[in-house]
Amino acid sequence: MATGLKTNRRDFLKIAGTTAGGLFIGFNWMSCDSPKVEVLTTEQILSQAKSFNGYLSISPTGDVVIYSPNPELGQNIKTSFPMVVAEELEADWNRVRVVQANLDTEKYDRQLTGGSGAMPHSWERLRKAGATAKFVLVAAAAETWKVPASEITVEKGIISHKASKKSGHFGEFVELASTMTAPEEITLKDKKDFTIIGTAVKNVDNPEIFTGKPLFGLDFYREGMLHAMVQRPPFGMKIKSVDDSEAKNINGVTDVIQFENNVAIVGKSTWPLMKAKRLLKVEYEADGAVESTEDHNRIFREMLDTGKSTVRREDGNVNQAFKSAAKIVTAEYQCPFLSHSPMEPMNFFAHVQGDKAELIGPTQTPDRARQTAAEILGIPAENISVEITRLGGGFGRRLRADYVAEAVQISKMMNAPVKVTWSREDDLTGGAYRPAVRYRFEAALDEAGEMIGYKLKGAGINSGNSTRQDNFPAAAVANYKVESVEHNSPITTNAWRAPITNFLAYAEQSFLDEVALEAGKDPVEFRLNLLNKAKNNPTGEPGYDVDRMIGVINKVKEKSNWGKNPNVKQGFSVYFSHRTYVAQVADIEIENGSPVLKKITAATDCGMVINTTGADHQVRGGIVDGMGHAMYGNLTFVDGLPTQKNFDSYKLIRMKEVPQVDVHYVDSGYDPTGLGEPALPPTGGAIANAIFTATGRRLRSQPFIEQEEFSDIKLAIRRA
């Protein structure tokens, strides 16, 4: 059946109102099977198109331009958003172009990329945008032909009236349709009738990416702009003195300036700036605590042993459960700071002109960029424009606006357009890392091996709440306690792909395997038993959907042939984050006496899959990211400075180190629930549990390659 939705006044005005034109960067749409010969450029189409709402315009030629408002950093939102609009519009893919919209808070509610929330938030809005445009086009055709609108059909951009044998493409009706108003209540398509959603559509930027077109922030160039690179202090230090005499003598350097606690070198191109930056002589002095990794290890011990904690959740009588336990299992797990390390380092362009400013570059939060600039300049936010380029990765790093602030401050000081560019060394040493965390787990078992008590204490460094107290196994254990303690450090941290859960999932899932082993139970059945308790006899409210978690467990159990081949050593993990459920099984085989990681099988319930190609990429990408950082990632500090400054010492996973990844989906009937982050958290646990099954070595800290238990394990990785 069709879905009837009532729009609120704010949404209706955004969807139905006529929008003004603006500067857009246009890209061609490329369907999965049907490349088309370009006749008109996107700019030519827009010059004659009528705007139907903030999401789409239609030209008299019948070409459709769909605006994608959220920043694109590889999560495929620039393709999947327009797919949803085009589905309800009944557009012809070969007549659709996609444009990256600039920041416009009047048109778009949530114009940011983070928390895997873009599609869940915009799902209905996107559908309404397409449906309302289709409504007025049909109304225009009905008025033109003098026939009932109810007798008109639309398919692939063609409007038809069967009885009169009349038909025409969208463009024939745009003039009249653009003067009509859609109703506040609109009928959406029945999901069973979708023809675009749920199919495989290639990334709309593929042709430009493959041919090296300027899409990314690093590509941006404007005649006459200055370049700048910045020397930032170690964490916990401030500038004592600066000797810039040698740096200023480099040909191509026009100025060296100081702002706040930074030194900026300004010039005509980045290469002389990089050379000059090495010649800067900056002396620093302590400005509060100056920390090293040695300090952090001590701080972790103190926090877990004596630190004053905040109780996040407590069910039942935990103390009594542990007093009466037949067996107690205890373990600690620790993760280091990590850099986001997107392939494109931070960069941004700013042009400050009196009480106005222009910002251009890669940001996950364009409105934060604008608000930050407004605060620095003391001007109204509406006087600042933000143009969003494609992002060469982000993973949470570009949620911050520190690099935007640098461009704004330098542009103001230089009274000129300025582009700030970070080097790879700047990116690794410039802060905003994943927080370092240590967890202490305790489980109480009765004589039958049932878990009757569970305790988790999280100690985080700039992590906020380092736990997710309502996640599994909450509500599945009668006596349950979660608490956290926090250390405030001068080392800046930030959301890192799947914040907190990126390591908590590994630690928790590895620990649950330890508990299952002590209880003498199969790890998968042990979890299913807990979930059945949460479903049938919960203690308190679970903060997760029990049935959806059971669904992905059963799917991955089936697809991985769990426990059926004695020659395959398997590890299991399951986690819920960002509204989505993912279960994984890692397969290790012993070859010539050494373990070989052959395959990871994943089952995902992310609600309705918009684009099967994009979804597969997100799941596989999350698994590769999770595996690489669990195996190799580590950022250590000495006197407020990271010791790893480039990829020679900060190892990222290589393509040859990726095993086969099999991806499966569970259709739970839900609307899309997000997919950019949820596949990462379970990966480390699945691999660590498989390593234990194969070798008997339990890995309780990351990165794996630096653990003593892993030192003599020659783990090879080959595709099955």
Side-chain angles (χ1 to χ4, degrees), residues 171-344:
E172 296 175 39
F173 307 100
V174 294
E175 194 70 38
L176 178 57
S178 65
T179 67
M180 294 180 163
T181 301
E184 292 195 35
E185 291 189 31
I186 196 74
T187 299
L188 304 181
K189 291 177 68 172
D190 191 315
K191 295 176 184 178
K192 67 178 177 57
D193 297 326
F194 286 167
T195 58
I196 298 172
I197 292 174
T199 64
V201 175
K202 292 180 181 178
N203 182 334
V204 297
D205 282 343
N206 273 355
E208 283 74 20
I209 292 172
F210 296 162
T211 55
K213 295 294 193 302
L215 293 175
F216 299 91
L218 278 179
D219 298 325
F220 178 79
Y221 173 79
R222 177 171 293 171
E223 189 69 31
M225 74 180 187
L226 295 173
H227 291 268
M229 299 192 82
V230 179
Q231 174 66 48
R232 301 164 192 87
F235 299 103
M237 292 191 176
K238 63 182 179 180
I239 294 174
K240 183 177 181 181
S241 65
V242 177
D243 179 355
D244 58 12
S245 55
E246 291 185 56
K248 282 183 173 179
N249 287 331
I250 296 294
N251 187 34
V253 172
T254 58
D255 214 335
V256 178
I257 59 176
Q258 290 187 49
F259 64 99
E260 295 185 346
N261 203 22
N262 304 302
V263 182
I265 303 176
V266 184
K268 298 176 182 178
S269 64
T270 55
W271 180 241
L273 303 186
M274 293 175 75
K275 291 193 289 184
K277 192 160 171 271
R278 297 189 192 101
L279 297 174
L280 270 179
K281 296 175 182 176
V282 184
E283 186 180 356
Y284 296 100
E285 59 185 353
D287 185 26
V290 179
E291 297 175 353
S292 301
T293 296
E294 241 178 49
D295 300 311
H296 298 151
N297 291 331
R298 171 184 52 78
I299 290 166
F300 276 137
R301 287 193 299 271
E302 292 171 353
M303 285 196 291
L304 287 177
D305 290 341
T306 60
K308 185 178 180 181
S309 62
T310 299
V311 176
R312 302 291 178 176
R313 176 167 175 161
E314 187 167 10
D315 299 329
N317 190 331
V318 176
N319 290 336
Q320 183 57 41
F322 276 82
K323 284 180 182 178
S324 64
K327 185 179 292 186
I328 293 175
V329 185
T330 302
E332 290 185 12
Y333 286 77
Q334 182 171 323
C335 71
F337 289 98
L338 288 181
S339 166
H340 296 77
S341 291
M343 285 297 98
E344 178 191 25

Side-chain angles (χ1 to χ4, degrees), residues 9 32 112 124 146 160 174 241 244 269 279 284 331 334 375 378 387 404 425 429-430 522 574 587 609 640 691:
R9 182 65 179 163
C32 53
L112 64 90
E124 288 188 1
K146 306 304 180 188
S160 304
V174 294
S241 65
D244 58 12
S269 64
L279 297 174
Y284 296 100
Q334 182 171 323
E375 290 173 13
E387 184 177 324
V404 180
E425 288 82 1
T429 61
D522 174 84
V574 63
D587 289 357
V609 175
I691 289 172

Side-chain angles (χ1 to χ4, degrees), residues 5 26 140 222 258 287 314 334 352 362 500 520 532 566 600 618 708:
L5 291 172
R222 177 171 293 171
Q258 290 187 49
D287 185 26
E314 187 167 10
Q334 182 171 323
V352 177
I500 301 301
N532 284 326
I600 296 176
Q618 285 301 293
E708 183 179 345

